[in-house]
Amino acid sequence: MKRVMNENQDIIREARNLLLGRLCGILATQSLDLPGYPFGSLIPYSLGQDGWPLMLLSHLAKHTRNLNAEPRCSLTITDTGEGDIQQLMRLTCLGKVTRVIDIRTSEAENHFRQFPGSQNYFEHLNFQFYRLQPERFYCVGGFGAARWMGVDRLENTV
């Protein structure tokens, strides 16, 4: 039993580290152009003060239009590495995205530090911040090591 507990704690820790360290993933939204189909976009994210992904998105992007119509989405983050990709950790966050009306200065500055070119997008190209509020996580820690995780397992990760 102790070994199972340690393995669970290890996977949770690795999932937290992946969320904290990768800072890019595939955002899957529900397509407006082809209803019923997912639409995936590679996007960068920083972590807000609440520990959840904060994205700077263009109002012209398909994924933003999709989110404005239907905020339910998923963000999948994958580890990097050599060899069998089936053995790499991946974490999918299912949740809802909302536009941030008044971004905290500290959160915006943190995002701009992570992605230096993004400040220009925000100041001159009308990009807006959006926050992902997780509802559940699905983690694959390698072949045969997959499990659902509640939000409480990954909160307060910053």
Side-chain angles (χ1 to χ4, degrees):
M1 181 68 171
K2 186 173 182 174
R3 179 180 172 148
V4 171
M5 189 72 121
N6 288 340
E7 288 174 3
N8 285 336
Q9 292 302 322
D10 288 346
I11 289 174
I12 291 167
R13 185 175 48 256
E14 289 176 31
R16 284 180 181 152
N17 289 338
L18 186 59
L19 180 65
L20 284 165
R22 194 71 176 102
L23 303 182
C24 70
I26 300 293
L27 178 69
T29 59
Q30 297 182 38
S31 177
L32 287 175
D33 294 330
L34 288 169
Y37 286 89
F39 181 83
S41 303
L42 179 63
I43 56 112
Y45 67 89
S46 60
L47 295 177
Q49 289 179 340
D50 59 1
W52 303 131
L54 189 62
M55 304 165 283
L56 186 61
L57 305 176
S58 168
H59 68 284
L60 299 174
K62 293 275 188 202
H63 52 252
T64 306
R65 292 183 199 169
N66 293 343
L67 288 170
N68 288 335
E70 173 51 70
R72 291 178 296 172
C73 64
S74 69
L75 177 65
T76 300
I77 305 156
T78 61
D79 204 356
T80 59
E82 298 291 321
D84 185 358
I85 63 169
Q86 297 291 79
Q87 295 298 322
L88 296 177
M89 175 165 273
R90 48 244 188 238
L91 180 68
T92 298
C93 174
L94 285 83
K96 292 181 181 174
V97 169
T98 56
R99 185 169 161 237
V100 179
I101 304 301
D102 293 316
I103 186 74
R104 293 179 182 118
T105 301
S106 60
E107 288 182 312
E109 288 173 351
N110 177 57
H111 191 87
F112 300 149
R113 269 193 307 279
Q114 297 289 332
F115 307 101
S118 66
Q119 188 165 0
N120 184 54
Y121 300 153
F122 180 72
E123 292 175 352
H124 303 291
L125 298 175
N126 200 31
F127 278 52
Q128 299 294 312
F129 281 100
Y130 286 76
R131 187 179 314 277
L132 176 58
Q133 182 58 53
E135 293 193 15
R136 203 163 179 204
F137 290 91
Y138 189 73
C139 182
V140 179
F143 186 76
R147 62 186 41 93
W148 284 102
M149 293 180 187
V151 172
D152 61 321
R153 300 297 218 153
L154 293 176
E155 63 188 351
N156 300 321
T157 60
V158 291

